[in-house]
Amino acid sequence: MKRIFFILYLLVILILIVPEQKKGNTLSELESSPRVMAILPTSDNPFWNGVWAGIRQNIPYASFVLTEYDYEISDADTLLQLLDLADNVSPEGLILAPKATLSSSFYQKLQALREQGVKIVVLDTDIEEDYYDAFLGIDNADAGKTLGQYLVSNLKPGEEILEIYSKSPLNDTMQDRLDAFHDAMAQDGLLDRIHTLKTVTEYPQGLQDILGALENTENLRYLVTVGPTYTLYAANALTLADLSPEVTVLGFGETQEALEYVEQGEIEVLFMQANTQLGQRGVQIMEQLLTDGETQKRHGIDVNLITKQNIS
């Protein structure tokens, strides 16, 4: 009898201390949940594969039902078709990463969704503010500062830097990175070690300009870029001039080609926004919009330093 009471006592204790397991959504709960579409580049790209992974990690904790759609980077036609689908479906929310040429039709379709009351969270590409509820992307001031701090720690006496950017007026993204980079270098008195090349984005002129600068800059150690196009041009120039690893690139980018240059050694550090965090935060911000109706307009994402040693 004592043994039976002891077993019953243990069962009671177990019931009290074992937490209740979280139940899945019932069919009725799913039917009444807000519907959100995610339109992002295909996960074939390593960067966007990480973004999708971040979204999927946080979806189990969201109150909305997500439907996923992808398209090939730069495929503007498919992107527009997916926005037409969103217009017909009328979801409560849209998580969007527009990585294609953005035409007037693109903005017209976003405006139509906004007029329907669709909450729009934009990832990575900074479009016009009137067309979204929240934007998530790399904190450009922090990214430029991180670039400068890397050089302060690694630049040796006598070594020089060639910074490369467009001769056309820079957009706010590029200018914020460049200003923060200069501020970080100025704090350690290193601005006089920077040589500047202003060129064009058109190929092959941009590449040829960099090749010419390589021949005319002494004691060069780093090519520094604040935009993805010049990162690729700079890495390509080092390959053609056979200067790596004596000279390497520090730049921004997220393409497969840029990652390959990291593996080969032409790019010493690729400054890339934390892609998994980007996806996770996109879900969190959408949840906040659907729950509270509003959030702050812009959200900064951390910068990751991708090197030959940590590339996966």
Side-chain angles (χ1 to χ4, degrees):
M1 182 66 71
K2 289 183 177 178
R3 185 176 181 182
I4 293 174
F5 279 119
F6 180 72
I7 292 173
L8 290 172
Y9 174 78
L10 287 177
L11 288 172
V12 171
I13 294 298
L14 286 171
I15 290 171
L16 290 174
I17 65 174
V18 175
E20 181 182 358
Q21 298 298 308
K22 184 179 178 181
K23 296 181 177 63
N25 289 325
T26 65
L27 181 58
S28 61
E29 287 173 334
L30 287 173
E31 290 175 345
S32 62
S33 296
R35 297 163 303 142
V36 173
M37 291 177 62
I39 302 176
L40 279 69
T42 175
S43 58
D44 291 344
N45 175 286
F47 176 82
W48 290 104
N49 183 55
V51 179
W52 278 115
I55 287 174
R56 290 162 185 158
Q57 286 173 14
N58 272 18
I59 278 300
Y61 309 101
S63 65
F64 56 82
V65 177
L66 183 76
T67 308
E68 300 178 1
Y69 299 89
D70 64 11
Y71 65 98
E72 296 292 337
I73 289 177
S74 300
D75 186 352
D77 290 339
T78 300
L79 177 59
L80 292 177
Q81 290 169 10
L82 290 172
L83 290 177
D84 283 335
L85 176 62
D87 186 44
N88 293 328
V89 172
S90 297
E92 280 75 17
L94 171 64
I95 299 174
L96 175 66
K99 302 296 292 184
T101 302
L102 305 182
S103 62
S104 59
S105 295
F106 168 82
Y107 284 106
Q108 290 168 4
K109 294 176 190 301
L110 280 193
Q111 182 60 34
L113 291 170
R114 294 273 283 163
E115 290 172 357
Q116 293 179 33
V118 178
K119 300 296 185 183
I120 299 177
V121 173
V122 172
L123 309 182
D124 183 57
T125 301
D126 195 358
I127 65 174
E128 296 179 28
E129 286 194 2
D130 291 341
Y131 295 91
Y132 60 75
D133 295 276
F135 167 76
L136 288 81
I138 194 169
D139 184 324
N140 291 301
D142 182 61
K145 179 180 178 181
T146 302
L147 170 61
Q149 290 173 335
Y150 183 89
L151 279 164
V152 167
S153 299
N154 290 277
L155 194 66
K156 295 181 174 58
E159 294 179 339
E160 302 289 312
I161 302 161
L162 177 65
E163 63 178 11
I164 305 165
Y165 55 89
S166 175
K167 63 173 58 175
S168 301
L170 299 180
N171 61 29
D172 291 343
T173 295
M174 300 299 107
Q175 192 64 59
D176 288 348
R177 288 180 192 174
L178 189 64
D179 290 345
F181 163 59
H182 287 163
D183 288 344
M185 297 294 284
Q187 289 178 10
D188 279 74
L190 295 177
L191 281 179
D192 61 348
R193 309 271 286 278
I194 300 175
H195 304 265
T196 300
L197 171 64
K198 296 182 182 181
T199 182
V200 296
T201 57
E202 290 77 18
Y203 182 87
Q205 187 60 53
L207 175 61
Q208 291 170 350
D209 288 346
I210 295 173
L211 287 169
L214 289 176
E215 295 179 356
N216 298 317
T217 308
E218 297 181 356
N219 303 317
L220 187 60
R221 175 63 184 88
Y222 291 110
L223 303 183
V224 171
T225 70
V226 292
T229 299
Y230 293 123
T231 297
L232 296 178
Y233 284 176
N236 191 4
L238 292 184
T239 301
L240 294 173
D242 195 24
L243 289 176
S244 173
E246 289 77 16
V247 182
T248 53
V249 177
L250 307 178
F252 292 79
E254 59 193 36
T255 64
Q256 180 64 43
E257 188 177 359
L259 292 170
E260 289 172 359
Y261 277 124
V262 174
E263 292 178 330
Q264 294 167 191
E266 285 87 358
I267 296 179
E268 182 171 321
V269 181
L270 188 65
F271 295 81
M272 179 188 294
Q273 61 187 320
N275 51 354
T276 302
Q277 183 190 82
L278 182 64
Q280 293 171 333
R281 291 285 289 144
V283 172
Q284 292 169 354
I285 297 304
M286 179 57 72
E287 179 77 17
Q288 185 177 357
L289 280 169
L290 295 176
T291 302
D292 302 333
E294 60 183 6
T295 181
Q296 68 185 62
K297 197 77 169 177
R298 303 178 66 83
H299 303 260
I301 299 297
D302 295 338
V303 59
N304 285 341
L305 277 61
I306 308 300
T307 68
K308 195 172 185 178
Q309 288 70 40
N310 66 20
I311 193 170
S312 55

